């Protein structure tokens, strides 16, 4: 958190030095101090709203039934209080402090004493939290002093915000907006301005953006309209595949006649198969002397790779078609180390068609960079599932585009799933979750209990004791250890341990392929990395269980983390090695000695790397993974772990994405409270694209 504080302060100071802000404290100290406070507080809140995926902060000028202040004040107070309480041992009694401010509003001395007392109480609570959390207390004392001062500053900003808004502006949002410092805020007339915070006030609402995010959203909409209106020659389709559904034929016709297309559908609805028919039609219409510049891209390297594999599979029998190498959007744009793209508005991409898969993972800034680099006449096709998790970065571009009026003629929804339908257990639960209404726990559990493909295990009791928690981990691990039909994953790794290195290259390819298939029969998905319910703790337990199963000595701190059978995931793109973020590899004994280990990755061919090549910051153990990392993948059976410790992350998109990774069955390990938070969680991020 200190980094947040430092970045805000340094940003403001920089702008003061460059005469973007007035020199506070020179004339009207009180007035300018208030303005500075407003800037600090709003910049802090908007920045953290971005971390939660929201591109805009919306404040409403409406009364609140149980509070003396307005909704716009409550939004700021609630957000800030929640943030502060996350670092404190005791809950900050903010309402009591605000009542004291009301009482002392005309007594400056008493008011200052009240604020100082509140700041001291906060610091004491922070110190108390260190005594209760040995892990947190390991951080050096200097850092903790910074944390305390950071939290104290935020509380000061909040109390000044309340005093100013409530007792000088009488809770009037319009007066608040009008009183902002126009030298650092830019209100309503938003053209050709360089401002750190942009404000748009309309009716009873005010919208706040960071300046760069506002510019990105505005540029995206402008460029999208330009692309959509670009003239393109219709694609000659010829005779279409007779297995195509009516929806798929509609999608193909839309792509054939529009420069911009949105093809939306859940897992197994045939998005890739539909695109394959368009690609096939284009290549078949080309003469031998013609060339067609096609780009296959996705937000992540793994997603791009899976896209190419799926397209190639859909094009079986079309041996004359050679697909281009898939790329990440960063690679397509030629993004350098400084994040500056080589391709942009004045140097556009040299492609006639750009197909983007997993577009739900689009953040607004990355989407803007891509569309700005599209030349006139290029077809752009976005594929994705609008119900899945949005991007880790800010924005919900795909969901927003589906709601924009300008995109409706280019939008086709595919609803018929071949992976599962609405009458299957997984399909029924997916449809149930996406219903636009609040569900009660009874109806959720009733649906789950009706379906043999679904199960719910209440883990509330697991937190009561170490024994219960151990049983929970054992239950999660069991499918990796036992399988009634074939060798389990653990048993498979044990079976090949001492003979894998003797196999030929072809035999190794087949062995790793079978091993990967076995591993994909079951996967554990979590909401977060952290807490006892995150993938870090679960992976630690399974690692020890796997080593014990293989007869290996227990893990020691000074031991190498590598062992035969360890499953790992790549955390960042390594184009030099041909490895991408999200790739799964398995460590196997590649020589006669136990410490001769290599990690094997399977794409179109088998790749192996000595464990010494893969740094610790490049990979992580991956028996379990977060739901975010699972996007674009599918597994036979899935275990989903949710807990209220990760309440901030629980949403409809999260549980929908998790359960739709399964082809057969889903086991939900959760408390009833966490399950309901997920099922009834918010589904729409606050963004500026649809304002």
């Amino acid at each position: 958190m200190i980094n947040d504080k430092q970045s805000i302060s340094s940003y403001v100071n920089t702008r003061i030095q460059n005469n973007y802000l007035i020199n506070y404290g020179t004339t009207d100290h009180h007035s300018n101090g208030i303005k500075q406070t407003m800037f600090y507080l709003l910049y802090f809140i908007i920045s953290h709203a971005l971390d939660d995926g929201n591109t805009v902060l919306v404040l409403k000028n409406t009364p609140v039934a149980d509070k003396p202040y307005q909704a716009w004040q409550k939004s700021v107070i609630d957000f800030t209080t929640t943030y502060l309480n996350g670092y404190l041992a005791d809950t900050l009694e903010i309402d009591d402090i605000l009542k004291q401010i009301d009482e002392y509003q005309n007594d400056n001395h008493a008011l200052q004493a009240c604020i100082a007392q509140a700041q001291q109480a906060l610091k004491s609570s922070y110190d108390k939290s260190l005594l209760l959390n040995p892990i947190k207390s390991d951080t050096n004392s200097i850092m903790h002093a910074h944390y305390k001062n950071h939290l104290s500053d935020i509380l000061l900003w909040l109390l000044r915000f309340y005093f100013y808004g409530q007792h000088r502006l009488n809770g009037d949002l319009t007066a608040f907006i009008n009183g902002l410092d126009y030298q650092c805020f830019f209100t309503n007339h938003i053209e050709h301005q360089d401002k750190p915070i942009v404000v748009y006030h309309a009716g009873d609402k005010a919208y706040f953006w960071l300046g760069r995010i506002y510019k990105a959203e505005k540029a995206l909409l402008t460029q999208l309209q330009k692309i959509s209106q670009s003239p393109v020659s219709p694609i000659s389709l010829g005779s279409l595949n007779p297995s195509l559904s009516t929806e798929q034929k509609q999608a193909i016709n839309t792509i054939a006649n529009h420069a911009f297309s949105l093809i939306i559908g859940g897992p197994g609805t045939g998005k890739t198969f539909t695109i394959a028919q368009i690609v096939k039609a284009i290549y078949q219409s080309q003469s031998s002397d013609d060339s067609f510049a096609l780009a296959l891209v996705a937000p992540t390297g793994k997603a791009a790779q899976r896209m190419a594999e799926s397209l190639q599979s859909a094009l079986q029998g079309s041996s004359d078609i050679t697909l281009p190498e898939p790329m990440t959007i960063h690679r397509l744009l030629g993004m350098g180390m400084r994040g500056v793209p080589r391709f942009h508005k004045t140097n556009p991409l040299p492609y006639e068609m750009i197909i983007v898969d997993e577009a739900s993972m689009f953040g607004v800034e990355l989407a803007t960079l891509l569309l700005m680099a599209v030349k006139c006449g290029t077809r752009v096709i976005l594929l994705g599932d609008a119900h899945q998790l949005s991007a880790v970065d800010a924005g919900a571009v795909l969901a927003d585009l589906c709601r924009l009026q300008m995109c409706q003629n280019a939008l086709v929804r595919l609803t018929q799933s071949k992976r599962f339908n609405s009458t299957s257990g997984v399909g029924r639960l997916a449809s149930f979750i996406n219903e636009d209404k609040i569900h009660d726990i009874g109806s959720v559990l009733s649906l789950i209990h009706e379906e043999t493909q679904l199960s719910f295990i209440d883990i509330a009791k697991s937190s009561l004791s170490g024994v219960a928690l151990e049983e929970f981990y054992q239950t999660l691990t069991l499918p990796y250890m036992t399988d009634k039909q074939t060798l389990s994953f653990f048993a498979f790794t044990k079976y090949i341990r001492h003979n894998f290195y003797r196999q030929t290259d072809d035999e190794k390819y087949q062995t790793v392929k079978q091993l990967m298939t076995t591993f994909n029969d079951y996967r554990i998905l979590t909401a977060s990395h952290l807490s006892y319910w995150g993938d870090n703790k679960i992976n630690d337990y399974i690692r020890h269980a796997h080593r014990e199963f293989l007869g290996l000595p227990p893990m020691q701190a000074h031991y190498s983390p590598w062992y035969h059978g360890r499953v790992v995931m790549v955390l960042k793109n390594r184009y030099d090695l041909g490895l991408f973020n999200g790739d799964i590899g398995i460590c196997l004994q590649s020589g006669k000695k136990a410490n001769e280990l290599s990690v094997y990755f399977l794409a179109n061919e088998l790749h192996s790397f000595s464990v010494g090549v893969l740094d610790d910051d490049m990979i992580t153990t991956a028996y379990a993974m977060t739901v975010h990392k699972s996007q674009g993948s599918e597994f036979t059976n899935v275990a989903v772990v949710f807990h209220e410790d990760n309440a901030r992350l629980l949403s409809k998109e999260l549980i929908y994405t998790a359960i739709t990774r399964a082809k057969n069955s889903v086991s939900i390990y959760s408390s009833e409270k966490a399950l309901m938070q997920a099922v009834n969680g918010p589904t729409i991020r606050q963004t500026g694209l649809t304002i």
Side-chain angles (χ1 to χ4, degrees):
M1 294 307 104
I2 181 62
N3 291 331
D4 295 332
K5 173 63 165 57
Q6 288 175 330
S7 64
I8 296 169
S9 299
S10 61
Y11 186 83
V12 175
N13 290 332
T14 299
R15 302 196 68 97
I16 291 174
Q17 293 168 12
N18 289 291
N19 297 318
Y20 282 97
L21 299 175
I22 59 178
N23 186 10
Y24 295 113
T26 56
T27 55
D28 183 354
H29 178 77
H30 177 74
S31 175
N32 289 330
I34 286 293
K35 291 175 180 178
Q36 186 182 36
T37 295
M38 297 306 101
F39 180 83
Y40 273 137
L41 184 61
L42 290 170
Y43 195 95
F44 163 77
I45 292 175
I46 299 169
S47 298
H48 280 274
L50 282 175
D51 293 339
D52 291 335
N54 304 293
T55 65
V56 64
L57 171 68
V58 183
L59 301 184
K60 300 178 182 178
N61 196 28
T62 54
V64 181
D66 61 335
K67 300 291 183 183
Y69 39 82
Q70 303 293 301
W72 66 274
Q73 296 169 292
K74 185 176 186 301
S75 295
V76 173
I77 292 168
D78 286 353
F79 179 93
T80 312
T81 304
T82 300
Y83 177 85
L84 294 173
N85 283 335
Y87 296 90
L88 306 177
D90 300 314
T91 301
L92 188 67
E93 299 295 340
I94 192 66
D95 281 346
D96 293 340
I97 301 172
L98 299 184
K99 287 178 182 177
Q100 286 187 304
I101 290 177
D102 293 339
E103 183 179 348
Y104 302 137
Q105 60 174 291
N106 297 316
D107 186 341
N108 186 61
H109 180 76
L111 189 63
Q112 295 303 319
C114 169
I115 293 174
Q117 185 180 8
Q119 290 177 294
Q120 185 56 49
L122 179 147
K123 291 180 179 181
S124 298
S125 181
Y126 183 85
D127 289 335
K128 183 180 178 181
S129 71
L130 298 184
L131 299 174
L132 301 174
N133 191 337
I135 297 175
K136 184 188 281 189
S137 62
D138 288 340
T139 309
N140 67 65
S141 58
I142 296 175
M143 182 60 71
H144 283 303
H146 283 304
Y147 272 101
K148 281 196 291 186
N149 290 334
H150 169 56
L151 299 176
S152 179
D153 284 350
I154 294 171
L155 179 60
L156 174 64
W157 303 342
L158 176 64
L159 298 181
R160 283 185 175 177
F161 164 85
Y162 175 76
F163 172 81
Y164 179 62
Q166 187 72 355
H167 298 293
R168 294 295 180 265
L169 303 177
N170 299 315
D172 189 339
L173 178 61
T174 301
F176 175 74
I177 299 297
N178 292 337
L180 295 175
D181 181 2
Y182 280 45
Q183 294 191 52
C184 62
F185 296 86
F186 186 47
T187 308
N188 290 346
H189 303 286
I190 314 177
E191 303 294 336
H192 312 296
Q193 296 287 331
D194 179 23
K195 298 293 180 181
I197 298 179
V198 171
V199 187
Y200 176 66
H201 185 207
D204 64 347
K205 294 180 182 178
Y207 305 87
F208 294 79
W209 292 261
L210 292 189
R212 63 180 177 86
I213 299 297
Y214 175 82
K215 289 179 180 178
E217 290 191 331
K218 185 174 179 61
L220 188 151
L221 289 174
T222 301
Q223 184 66 4
L224 180 62
Q225 188 169 34
K226 182 179 176 181
I227 294 171
S228 300
Q229 295 174 350
S230 297
V232 290
S233 300
I235 297 172
S236 177
L237 297 174
S239 58
L240 295 176
N241 191 309
S243 66
L244 288 167
S245 68
T246 302
E247 292 174 339
Q248 290 172 320
K249 291 177 182 177
Q250 182 187 353
I252 289 173
N253 281 306
T254 298
I255 295 169
N257 294 285
H258 290 80
F260 177 76
S261 306
L262 278 169
I263 311 301
I264 308 302
T269 53
K271 298 186 295 292
T272 304
F273 183 76
T274 301
I275 292 298
Q277 308 313 306
I278 274 286
V279 172
K280 186 176 180 179
I282 290 171
Y283 277 92
Q284 289 179 343
S285 65
Q286 305 293 306
S287 69
S288 57
D289 297 329
D290 292 335
S291 62
F292 182 76
L294 170 67
L296 303 177
V297 292
T300 67
K302 184 60 178 176
Q305 183 184 1
R306 284 193 295 262
M307 175 192 186
E309 293 169 355
S310 299
L311 270 175
Q312 201 63 64
S313 176
L315 289 169
Q316 284 183 351
S318 304
S319 56
D320 55 326
I321 298 176
T322 303
L323 293 174
E325 179 188 2
M327 292 180 280
T328 64
I329 297 172
H330 289 83
R331 190 176 182 186
L332 176 79
L333 294 173
M335 300 283 280
M337 294 295 291
R338 296 187 300 165
V340 179
R342 183 160 64 91
F343 294 100
H344 42 74
K345 186 177 182 179
T346 56
N347 183 35
L349 292 162
Y351 297 101
E352 296 165 75
M353 178 181 284
I354 300 173
I355 303 173
V356 184
D357 199 13
E358 298 293 347
S360 64
M361 300 167 69
F362 250 160
V364 66
E365 291 183 288
L366 186 59
T368 301
L369 288 175
L370 174 62
L371 293 186
M372 292 299 292
V374 173
K375 68 179 181 180
C376 182
T378 296
R379 277 186 169 84
V380 178
I381 306 165
L382 302 187
L383 309 175
D385 184 353
H387 294 302
Q388 282 196 35
L389 282 166
S390 299
V392 174
D393 298 327
V397 175
L398 188 67
D400 285 342
L401 296 185
C402 291
R403 292 192 292 270
L404 283 177
Q405 187 59 42
M406 76 167 78
C407 296
Q408 296 310 300
N409 291 335
L411 171 63
V412 179
R413 298 182 187 273
L414 304 180
T415 60
Q416 300 174 22
S417 176
K418 293 185 178 180
R419 183 185 301 181
F420 49 75
N421 56 45
S422 59
T423 61
S424 71
V426 177
R428 281 190 65 197
L429 183 57
S431 300
F432 181 86
I433 290 168
N434 285 330
E435 291 177 359
D436 188 19
K437 67 178 187 179
I438 302 297
H439 298 287
D440 61 79
I441 185 65
S443 60
V444 177
L445 294 181
S446 177
L447 189 156
I448 292 173
H449 294 328
E450 288 173 6
E451 299 289 340
T452 57
Q453 293 178 313
L454 307 174
S455 61
F456 172 77
I457 300 91
D458 192 343
I459 63 172
K461 64 180 182 181
S462 299
S463 60
L464 299 178
S465 69
V467 173
L469 193 60
E470 177 83 7
E471 291 176 353
F472 162 68
Y473 289 145
Q474 288 176 351
T475 304
L476 277 181
T477 308
L478 194 60
Y480 284 135
M481 302 176 66
T482 59
D483 194 311
K484 294 180 181 179
Q485 278 100 26
T486 60
L487 281 176
S488 68
F489 177 69
F490 281 13
F492 201 153
T493 58
K494 188 175 185 176
Y495 174 74
I496 65 172
R497 182 183 171 192
H498 297 296
N499 58 33
F500 178 76
Y501 73 94
R502 298 191 180 96
Q503 296 181 358
T504 66
D505 289 346
D506 287 342
E507 288 171 338
K508 287 180 178 177
Y509 176 87
Q510 292 300 325
T511 297
V512 174
K513 185 178 180 180
Q514 293 173 26
L515 191 59
M516 286 288 191
T517 300
T518 301
F519 181 60
N520 285 334
D521 280 343
Y522 173 70
R523 195 61 47 84
I524 304 164
L525 305 180
T526 69
S528 162
H529 297 302
L530 307 177
S531 84
Y532 291 109
W533 324 101
D535 64 339
N536 286 346
K537 287 285 188 183
I538 295 171
N539 278 321
D540 281 345
Y541 181 89
I542 298 177
R543 244 184 352 150
H544 287 283
H546 197 175
R547 290 179 64 91
E548 184 179 354
F549 189 96
L550 295 171
L552 297 172
M555 291 281 299
Q556 302 293 332
H558 61 280
Y559 281 20
S560 167
W562 293 104
Y563 57 90
H564 174 84
R566 182 191 182 194
V567 182
V568 296
M569 177 189 293
V570 177
L571 298 176
K572 55 187 178 183
N573 296 330
R574 284 289 303 271
Y575 297 110
D576 57 326
L577 300 178
L579 297 176
F580 302 103
N581 186 358
D583 281 350
I584 297 293
I586 300 177
C587 180
L588 299 173
Q589 187 173 324
S590 54
K592 192 173 183 179
K593 298 179 179 178
N595 63 352
E596 295 181 73
L597 300 168
S598 297
V599 184
Y600 292 83
F601 296 88
L602 189 64
N604 294 325
E605 57 186 18
L606 189 64
H607 300 278
S608 65
F609 303 90
S610 170
V611 295
V613 175
L614 306 178
D615 299 331
D616 288 344
D617 64 342
M618 180 183 167
I619 53 89
T620 186
T621 305
Y623 301 97
M625 65 176 67
T626 64
V627 179
H628 284 85
K629 284 293 188 182
S630 75
Q631 284 187 270
S633 300
E634 63 177 35
F635 315 104
T636 307
N637 306 292
V638 165
V640 181
V641 181
F642 287 161
H643 194 268
E644 48 263 37
D645 282 0
N646 308 124
R648 189 176 65 86
L649 300 172
L650 301 180
S651 67
K652 283 189 176 186
E653 293 98 338
L654 189 76
I655 189 169
Y656 171 83
T657 303
I659 66 172
T660 55
R661 299 310 91 202
K663 294 187 290 184
N664 186 18
S665 71
V666 176
S667 299
I668 300 174
Y669 294 80
S670 174
S671 64
E672 291 185 358
K673 180 180 179 181
L675 177 62
M676 297 314 297
Q677 285 178 317
V679 170
N680 293 320
T683 58
I684 299 175
R685 292 179 171 182
Q686 288 189 338
T687 70
L689 290 181
T690 55
I691 293 176

